[in-house]
Amino acid sequence: IIGAVTWADNQTCASSCTGHGEYFIRYCVAQDIAARMEYKKQPLENAANDVVNKVLKQAGGEGGVIGIDRNGNIAMPFNTPGMYRGYYLEGGKPVTAIFED
């Protein structure tokens, strides 16, 4: 669902979410991250962390996000014991993880 669990635009970021779908839909998690970047001028990492670990968690939702901004910065916050996640940037090495670093 665009805005709830996936988002992409040229000004802010692209993101994909996983977790309790009802909460992601209700709080438009993916779009909220992009809006915080655009209107509050928050960096991706801060915006994603605020939405996942404050807004979503306070509402009772569990899950996480994989996001990348227009400059190639990556954010992968989650509020569960673990989340399968990964990324690959051109010229770099693949990164994968399950638990906190």
Side-chain angles (χ1 to χ4, degrees):
I1 298 174
I2 304 298
V5 297
T6 188
W7 184 264
D9 67 41
N10 291 330
Q11 291 74 42
T12 59
C13 65
S15 62
S16 181
C17 307
T18 186
H20 288 143
E22 296 83 7
Y23 291 94
F24 283 83
I25 294 167
R26 186 175 301 139
Y27 292 92
C28 291
V29 170
Q31 195 278 327
D32 190 12
I33 293 167
R36 287 167 184 260
M37 292 177 67
E38 184 173 357
Y39 300 119
K40 287 183 147 186
K41 304 302 181 201
Q42 287 185 310
L44 172 63
E45 185 173 353
N46 294 17
N49 190 57
D50 284 353
V51 174
V52 170
N53 288 304
K54 292 180 183 173
V55 174
L56 190 63
K57 191 171 185 177
Q58 287 175 0
E62 293 184 338
V65 174
I66 298 173
I68 184 169
D69 70 14
R70 64 186 299 166
N71 298 314
N73 298 305
I74 305 288
M76 299 188 293
F78 55 98
N79 63 20
T80 56
M83 181 178 88
Y84 290 94
R85 60 202 187 280
Y87 66 90
Y88 172 77
L89 297 175
E90 187 176 345
K93 293 185 178 184
V95 175
T96 60
I98 300 172
F99 303 105
E100 288 290 332
D101 294 333

PDB file of all heavy atoms in Angstrom, residues 5-6 9-11 17 19-20 25 38-39 41-44 47 50 57 61-62 64 81 87-88 90 97 99-101:
ATOM      1  N   VAL A   5       3.175   1.258   3.553  1.00  0.00           N
ATOM      2  CA  VAL A   5       4.309   0.339   3.669  1.00  0.00           C
ATOM      3  C   VAL A   5       5.363   0.512   2.590  1.00  0.00           C
ATOM      4  O   VAL A   5       6.395  -0.162   2.618  1.00  0.00           O
ATOM      5  CB  VAL A   5       3.842  -1.130   3.720  1.00  0.00           C
ATOM      6  CG1 VAL A   5       2.988  -1.384   4.940  1.00  0.00           C
ATOM      7  CG2 VAL A   5       3.096  -1.518   2.463  1.00  0.00           C
ATOM      8  N   THR A   6       5.130   1.389   1.649  1.00  0.00           N
ATOM      9  CA  THR A   6       6.137   1.659   0.625  1.00  0.00           C
ATOM     10  C   THR A   6       6.020   3.108   0.178  1.00  0.00           C
ATOM     11  O   THR A   6       4.945   3.693   0.184  1.00  0.00           O
ATOM     12  CB  THR A   6       5.992   0.689  -0.568  1.00  0.00           C
ATOM     13  OG1 THR A   6       7.094   0.858  -1.448  1.00  0.00           O
ATOM     14  CG2 THR A   6       4.711   0.901  -1.322  1.00  0.00           C
ATOM     15  N   ASP A   9      10.125   8.835  -3.766  1.00  0.00           N
ATOM     16  CA  ASP A   9      10.039  10.076  -4.526  1.00  0.00           C
ATOM     17  C   ASP A   9      11.450  10.613  -4.730  1.00  0.00           C
ATOM     18  O   ASP A   9      12.404  10.111  -4.134  1.00  0.00           O
ATOM     19  CB  ASP A   9       9.123  11.117  -3.862  1.00  0.00           C
ATOM     20  CG  ASP A   9       9.632  11.653  -2.546  1.00  0.00           C
ATOM     21  OD1 ASP A   9      10.850  11.921  -2.420  1.00  0.00           O
ATOM     22  OD2 ASP A   9       8.821  11.837  -1.629  1.00  0.00           O
ATOM     23  N   ASN A  10      11.595  11.594  -5.596  1.00  0.00           N
ATOM     24  CA  ASN A  10      12.921  12.120  -5.928  1.00  0.00           C
ATOM     25  C   ASN A  10      13.447  13.132  -4.929  1.00  0.00           C
ATOM     26  O   ASN A  10      14.619  13.480  -4.966  1.00  0.00           O
ATOM     27  CB  ASN A  10      12.897  12.761  -7.316  1.00  0.00           C
ATOM     28  CG  ASN A  10      12.733  11.739  -8.407  1.00  0.00           C
ATOM     29  OD1 ASN A  10      13.165  10.597  -8.267  1.00  0.00           O
ATOM     30  ND2 ASN A  10      12.096  12.118  -9.492  1.00  0.00           N
ATOM     31  N   GLN A  11      12.599  13.651  -4.046  1.00  0.00           N
ATOM     32  CA  GLN A  11      13.021  14.691  -3.117  1.00  0.00           C
ATOM     33  C   GLN A  11      13.487  14.150  -1.769  1.00  0.00           C
ATOM     34  O   GLN A  11      14.337  14.756  -1.133  1.00  0.00           O
ATOM     35  CB  GLN A  11      11.880  15.687  -2.858  1.00  0.00           C
ATOM     36  CG  GLN A  11      11.536  16.563  -4.046  1.00  0.00           C
ATOM     37  CD  GLN A  11      10.790  15.800  -5.132  1.00  0.00           C
ATOM     38  OE1 GLN A  11       9.915  15.008  -4.847  1.00  0.00           O
ATOM     39  NE2 GLN A  11      11.172  16.025  -6.372  1.00  0.00           N
ATOM     40  N   CYS A  17       8.465  -1.129   4.278  1.00  0.00           N
ATOM     41  CA  CYS A  17       8.197  -1.453   5.674  1.00  0.00           C
ATOM     42  C   CYS A  17       7.682  -2.872   5.825  1.00  0.00           C
ATOM     43  O   CYS A  17       7.131  -3.444   4.896  1.00  0.00           O
ATOM     44  CB  CYS A  17       7.132  -0.513   6.235  1.00  0.00           C
ATOM     45  SG  CYS A  17       7.454   1.236   6.029  1.00  0.00           S
ATOM     46  N   GLY A  19       5.794  -5.398   9.145  1.00  0.00           N
ATOM     47  CA  GLY A  19       5.339  -5.458  10.525  1.00  0.00           C
ATOM     48  C   GLY A  19       3.837  -5.593  10.615  1.00  0.00           C
ATOM     49  O   GLY A  19       3.191  -6.109   9.707  1.00  0.00           O
ATOM     50  N   HIS A  20       3.273  -5.090  11.726  1.00  0.00           N
ATOM     51  CA  HIS A  20       1.826  -5.112  11.938  1.00  0.00           C
ATOM     52  C   HIS A  20       1.162  -4.176  10.939  1.00  0.00           C
ATOM     53  O   HIS A  20       1.130  -2.957  11.139  1.00  0.00           O
ATOM     54  CB  HIS A  20       1.472  -4.671  13.358  1.00  0.00           C
ATOM     55  CG  HIS A  20       1.817  -5.676  14.391  1.00  0.00           C
ATOM     56  ND1 HIS A  20       2.286  -5.326  15.630  1.00  0.00           N
ATOM     57  CD2 HIS A  20       1.743  -7.029  14.380  1.00  0.00           C
ATOM     58  CE1 HIS A  20       2.487  -6.416  16.336  1.00  0.00           C
ATOM     59  NE2 HIS A  20       2.176  -7.462  15.606  1.00  0.00           N
ATOM     60  N   ILE A  25      -0.709   0.999   8.133  1.00  0.00           N
ATOM     61  CA  ILE A  25      -1.750   1.647   7.336  1.00  0.00           C
ATOM     62  C   ILE A  25      -2.311   2.851   8.086  1.00  0.00           C
ATOM     63  O   ILE A  25      -2.422   3.945   7.543  1.00  0.00           O
ATOM     64  CB  ILE A  25      -2.872   0.651   6.979  1.00  0.00           C
ATOM     65  CG1 ILE A  25      -2.342  -0.428   6.043  1.00  0.00           C
ATOM     66  CG2 ILE A  25      -4.064   1.368   6.364  1.00  0.00           C
ATOM     67  CD1 ILE A  25      -3.271  -1.620   5.874  1.00  0.00           C
ATOM     68  N   GLU A  38      10.858  16.063   4.378  1.00  0.00           N
ATOM     69  CA  GLU A  38      10.555  17.233   3.556  1.00  0.00           C
ATOM     70  C   GLU A  38      10.196  18.465   4.379  1.00  0.00           C
ATOM     71  O   GLU A  38      10.724  19.546   4.158  1.00  0.00           O
ATOM     72  CB  GLU A  38       9.412  16.911   2.592  1.00  0.00           C
ATOM     73  CG  GLU A  38       9.102  18.049   1.640  1.00  0.00           C
ATOM     74  CD  GLU A  38       8.082  17.686   0.580  1.00  0.00           C
ATOM     75  OE1 GLU A  38       7.635  16.519   0.534  1.00  0.00           O
ATOM     76  OE2 GLU A  38       7.736  18.580  -0.211  1.00  0.00           O
ATOM     77  N   TYR A  39       9.298  18.311   5.343  1.00  0.00           N
ATOM     78  CA  TYR A  39       8.773  19.478   6.049  1.00  0.00           C
ATOM     79  C   TYR A  39       9.530  19.833   7.314  1.00  0.00           C
ATOM     80  O   TYR A  39       9.615  21.004   7.673  1.00  0.00           O
ATOM     81  CB  TYR A  39       7.292  19.265   6.375  1.00  0.00           C
ATOM     82  CG  TYR A  39       6.468  19.072   5.134  1.00  0.00           C
ATOM     83  CD1 TYR A  39       5.758  17.901   4.921  1.00  0.00           C
ATOM     84  CD2 TYR A  39       6.424  20.044   4.138  1.00  0.00           C
ATOM     85  CE1 TYR A  39       5.012  17.705   3.776  1.00  0.00           C
ATOM     86  CE2 TYR A  39       5.689  19.862   2.978  1.00  0.00           C
ATOM     87  CZ  TYR A  39       4.984  18.692   2.809  1.00  0.00           C
ATOM     88  OH  TYR A  39       4.255  18.497   1.659  1.00  0.00           O
ATOM     89  N   LYS A  41      12.737  18.801   7.704  1.00  0.00           N
ATOM     90  CA  LYS A  41      14.140  18.765   7.298  1.00  0.00           C
ATOM     91  C   LYS A  41      14.952  17.782   8.145  1.00  0.00           C
ATOM     92  O   LYS A  41      16.142  17.983   8.367  1.00  0.00           O
ATOM     93  CB  LYS A  41      14.775  20.160   7.363  1.00  0.00           C
ATOM     94  CG  LYS A  41      14.038  21.212   6.553  1.00  0.00           C
ATOM     95  CD  LYS A  41      13.948  20.838   5.101  1.00  0.00           C
ATOM     96  CE  LYS A  41      13.228  21.931   4.316  1.00  0.00           C
ATOM     97  NZ  LYS A  41      12.685  21.457   3.065  1.00  0.00           N
ATOM     98  N   GLN A  42      14.313  16.704   8.601  1.00  0.00           N
ATOM     99  CA  GLN A  42      15.020  15.681   9.350  1.00  0.00           C
ATOM    100  C   GLN A  42      15.800  14.795   8.390  1.00  0.00           C
ATOM    101  O   GLN A  42      15.305  14.475   7.302  1.00  0.00           O
ATOM    102  CB  GLN A  42      14.050  14.791  10.131  1.00  0.00           C
ATOM    103  CG  GLN A  42      13.418  15.424  11.331  1.00  0.00           C
ATOM    104  CD  GLN A  42      12.563  14.433  12.098  1.00  0.00           C
ATOM    105  OE1 GLN A  42      11.723  13.747  11.518  1.00  0.00           O
ATOM    106  NE2 GLN A  42      12.779  14.355  13.390  1.00  0.00           N
ATOM    107  N   PRO A  43      16.987  14.357   8.776  1.00  0.00           N
ATOM    108  CA  PRO A  43      17.680  13.352   7.967  1.00  0.00           C
ATOM    109  C   PRO A  43      16.901  12.027   8.018  1.00  0.00           C
ATOM    110  O   PRO A  43      16.140  11.782   8.966  1.00  0.00           O
ATOM    111  CB  PRO A  43      19.049  13.202   8.619  1.00  0.00           C
ATOM    112  CG  PRO A  43      19.027  14.001   9.864  1.00  0.00           C
ATOM    113  CD  PRO A  43      17.759  14.782   9.927  1.00  0.00           C
ATOM    114  N   LEU A  44      17.095  11.189   7.027  1.00  0.00           N
ATOM    115  CA  LEU A  44      16.392   9.913   6.949  1.00  0.00           C
ATOM    116  C   LEU A  44      16.489   9.120   8.237  1.00  0.00           C
ATOM    117  O   LEU A  44      15.489   8.618   8.745  1.00  0.00           O
ATOM    118  CB  LEU A  44      16.939   9.077   5.781  1.00  0.00           C
ATOM    119  CG  LEU A  44      16.434   7.635   5.696  1.00  0.00           C
ATOM    120  CD1 LEU A  44      14.931   7.593   5.466  1.00  0.00           C
ATOM    121  CD2 LEU A  44      17.180   6.881   4.620  1.00  0.00           C
ATOM    122  N   ALA A  47      14.237  10.656  10.962  1.00  0.00           N
ATOM    123  CA  ALA A  47      12.819  10.548  10.616  1.00  0.00           C
ATOM    124  C   ALA A  47      12.332   9.109  10.760  1.00  0.00           C
ATOM    125  O   ALA A  47      11.281   8.852  11.356  1.00  0.00           O
ATOM    126  CB  ALA A  47      12.590  11.058   9.197  1.00  0.00           C
ATOM    127  N   ASP A  50      12.293   8.040  14.493  1.00  0.00           N
ATOM    128  CA  ASP A  50      11.181   8.664  15.217  1.00  0.00           C
ATOM    129  C   ASP A  50       9.859   7.971  14.922  1.00  0.00           C
ATOM    130  O   ASP A  50       9.078   7.692  15.832  1.00  0.00           O
ATOM    131  CB  ASP A  50      11.062  10.151  14.869  1.00  0.00           C
ATOM    132  CG  ASP A  50      12.119  11.008  15.532  1.00  0.00           C
ATOM    133  OD1 ASP A  50      12.881  10.484  16.379  1.00  0.00           O
ATOM    134  OD2 ASP A  50      12.195  12.203  15.187  1.00  0.00           O
ATOM    135  N   LYS A  57       5.586   2.560  17.836  1.00  0.00           N
ATOM    136  CA  LYS A  57       5.702   1.799  19.084  1.00  0.00           C
ATOM    137  C   LYS A  57       4.684   2.262  20.116  1.00  0.00           C
ATOM    138  O   LYS A  57       4.054   1.449  20.781  1.00  0.00           O
ATOM    139  CB  LYS A  57       7.118   1.910  19.631  1.00  0.00           C
ATOM    140  CG  LYS A  57       7.404   0.950  20.754  1.00  0.00           C
ATOM    141  CD  LYS A  57       8.866   0.940  21.099  1.00  0.00           C
ATOM    142  CE  LYS A  57       9.159  -0.122  22.144  1.00  0.00           C
ATOM    143  NZ  LYS A  57      10.589  -0.195  22.428  1.00  0.00           N
ATOM    144  N   GLY A  61       2.239  -0.782  17.587  1.00  0.00           N
ATOM    145  CA  GLY A  61       2.662  -1.461  16.370  1.00  0.00           C
ATOM    146  C   GLY A  61       4.112  -1.913  16.433  1.00  0.00           C
ATOM    147  O   GLY A  61       4.956  -1.237  17.012  1.00  0.00           O
ATOM    148  N   GLU A  62       4.373  -3.049  15.845  1.00  0.00           N
ATOM    149  CA  GLU A  62       5.734  -3.578  15.765  1.00  0.00           C
ATOM    150  C   GLU A  62       6.136  -3.739  14.313  1.00  0.00           C
ATOM    151  O   GLU A  62       5.311  -4.077  13.462  1.00  0.00           O
ATOM    152  CB  GLU A  62       5.828  -4.933  16.466  1.00  0.00           C
ATOM    153  CG  GLU A  62       5.636  -4.862  17.950  1.00  0.00           C
ATOM    154  CD  GLU A  62       5.834  -6.204  18.616  1.00  0.00           C
ATOM    155  OE1 GLU A  62       5.702  -7.251  17.933  1.00  0.00           O
ATOM    156  OE2 GLU A  62       6.112  -6.227  19.817  1.00  0.00           O
ATOM    157  N   GLY A  64       9.441  -2.606  11.193  1.00  0.00           N
ATOM    158  CA  GLY A  64      10.613  -1.833  10.838  1.00  0.00           C
ATOM    159  C   GLY A  64      10.569  -1.350   9.402  1.00  0.00           C
ATOM    160  O   GLY A  64       9.620  -1.616   8.664  1.00  0.00           O
ATOM    161  N   PRO A  81      12.515  -7.679  18.316  1.00  0.00           N
ATOM    162  CA  PRO A  81      13.802  -8.293  18.691  1.00  0.00           C
ATOM    163  C   PRO A  81      14.779  -8.412  17.518  1.00  0.00           C
ATOM    164  O   PRO A  81      15.985  -8.346  17.698  1.00  0.00           O
ATOM    165  CB  PRO A  81      13.407  -9.669  19.210  1.00  0.00           C
ATOM    166  CG  PRO A  81      12.003  -9.500  19.690  1.00  0.00           C
ATOM    167  CD  PRO A  81      11.382  -8.499  18.740  1.00  0.00           C
ATOM    168  N   TYR A  87      21.096  -4.420   2.307  1.00  0.00           N
ATOM    169  CA  TYR A  87      21.185  -3.488   1.192  1.00  0.00           C
ATOM    170  C   TYR A  87      22.516  -3.695   0.482  1.00  0.00           C
ATOM    171  O   TYR A  87      23.439  -4.313   1.011  1.00  0.00           O
ATOM    172  CB  TYR A  87      21.033  -2.027   1.639  1.00  0.00           C
ATOM    173  CG  TYR A  87      22.162  -1.527   2.507  1.00  0.00           C
ATOM    174  CD1 TYR A  87      23.291  -0.926   1.955  1.00  0.00           C
ATOM    175  CD2 TYR A  87      22.092  -1.635   3.892  1.00  0.00           C
ATOM    176  CE1 TYR A  87      24.327  -0.467   2.743  1.00  0.00           C
ATOM    177  CE2 TYR A  87      23.122  -1.171   4.688  1.00  0.00           C
ATOM    178  CZ  TYR A  87      24.235  -0.581   4.118  1.00  0.00           C
ATOM    179  OH  TYR A  87      25.262  -0.133   4.906  1.00  0.00           O
ATOM    180  N   TYR A  88      22.571  -3.174  -0.719  1.00  0.00           N
ATOM    181  CA  TYR A  88      23.788  -3.200  -1.513  1.00  0.00           C
ATOM    182  C   TYR A  88      23.873  -1.879  -2.260  1.00  0.00           C
ATOM    183  O   TYR A  88      22.930  -1.489  -2.946  1.00  0.00           O
ATOM    184  CB  TYR A  88      23.772  -4.360  -2.516  1.00  0.00           C
ATOM    185  CG  TYR A  88      24.923  -4.312  -3.481  1.00  0.00           C
ATOM    186  CD1 TYR A  88      26.202  -4.712  -3.097  1.00  0.00           C
ATOM    187  CD2 TYR A  88      24.748  -3.838  -4.771  1.00  0.00           C
ATOM    188  CE1 TYR A  88      27.255  -4.646  -3.976  1.00  0.00           C
ATOM    189  CE2 TYR A  88      25.807  -3.766  -5.661  1.00  0.00           C
ATOM    190  CZ  TYR A  88      27.060  -4.172  -5.254  1.00  0.00           C
ATOM    191  OH  TYR A  88      28.117  -4.098  -6.123  1.00  0.00           O
ATOM    192  N   GLU A  90      26.169   0.317  -5.040  1.00  0.00           N
ATOM    193  CA  GLU A  90      27.125   0.098  -6.109  1.00  0.00           C
ATOM    194  C   GLU A  90      28.546   0.392  -5.632  1.00  0.00           C
ATOM    195  O   GLU A  90      28.810   1.427  -5.023  1.00  0.00           O
ATOM    196  CB  GLU A  90      26.798   0.992  -7.314  1.00  0.00           C
ATOM    197  CG  GLU A  90      27.642   0.696  -8.528  1.00  0.00           C
ATOM    198  CD  GLU A  90      27.233   1.509  -9.732  1.00  0.00           C
ATOM    199  OE1 GLU A  90      26.136   2.082  -9.724  1.00  0.00           O
ATOM    200  OE2 GLU A  90      28.021   1.554 -10.680  1.00  0.00           O
ATOM    201  N   ALA A  97      21.727  -8.182   7.983  1.00  0.00           N
ATOM    202  CA  ALA A  97      21.669  -8.268   9.434  1.00  0.00           C
ATOM    203  C   ALA A  97      20.310  -8.816   9.860  1.00  0.00           C
ATOM    204  O   ALA A  97      19.358  -8.769   9.081  1.00  0.00           O
ATOM    205  CB  ALA A  97      21.911  -6.898  10.055  1.00  0.00           C
ATOM    206  N   PHE A  99      19.730  -8.969  13.873  1.00  0.00           N
ATOM    207  CA  PHE A  99      19.585  -8.358  15.177  1.00  0.00           C
ATOM    208  C   PHE A  99      20.322  -7.016  15.210  1.00  0.00           C
ATOM    209  O   PHE A  99      20.988  -6.641  14.242  1.00  0.00           O
ATOM    210  CB  PHE A  99      20.122  -9.294  16.257  1.00  0.00           C
ATOM    211  CG  PHE A  99      19.438 -10.639  16.238  1.00  0.00           C
ATOM    212  CD1 PHE A  99      20.083 -11.750  15.737  1.00  0.00           C
ATOM    213  CD2 PHE A  99      18.134 -10.768  16.693  1.00  0.00           C
ATOM    214  CE1 PHE A  99      19.450 -12.987  15.692  1.00  0.00           C
ATOM    215  CE2 PHE A  99      17.485 -11.992  16.646  1.00  0.00           C
ATOM    216  CZ  PHE A  99      18.144 -13.103  16.147  1.00  0.00           C
ATOM    217  N   GLU A 100      20.220  -6.299  16.333  1.00  0.00           N
ATOM    218  CA  GLU A 100      20.959  -5.032  16.479  1.00  0.00           C
ATOM    219  C   GLU A 100      22.448  -5.312  16.311  1.00  0.00           C
ATOM    220  O   GLU A 100      22.929  -6.390  16.676  1.00  0.00           O
ATOM    221  CB  GLU A 100      20.710  -4.412  17.852  1.00  0.00           C
ATOM    222  CG  GLU A 100      19.331  -3.829  18.031  1.00  0.00           C
ATOM    223  CD  GLU A 100      19.102  -2.559  17.213  1.00  0.00           C
ATOM    224  OE1 GLU A 100      20.068  -1.824  16.927  1.00  0.00           O
ATOM    225  OE2 GLU A 100      17.949  -2.326  16.865  1.00  0.00           O
ATOM    226  N   ASP A 101      23.156  -4.343  15.813  1.00  0.00           N
ATOM    227  CA  ASP A 101      24.609  -4.520  15.586  1.00  0.00           C
ATOM    228  C   ASP A 101      25.357  -4.668  16.900  1.00  0.00           C
ATOM    229  O   ASP A 101      25.079  -4.187  17.898  1.00  0.00           O
ATOM    230  CB  ASP A 101      25.174  -3.327  14.821  1.00  0.00           C
ATOM    231  CG  ASP A 101      24.591  -3.279  13.415  1.00  0.00           C
ATOM    232  OD1 ASP A 101      24.218  -4.336  12.892  1.00  0.00           O
ATOM    233  OD2 ASP A 101      24.511  -2.171  12.856  1.00  0.00           O
TER     234      ASP A 101
END
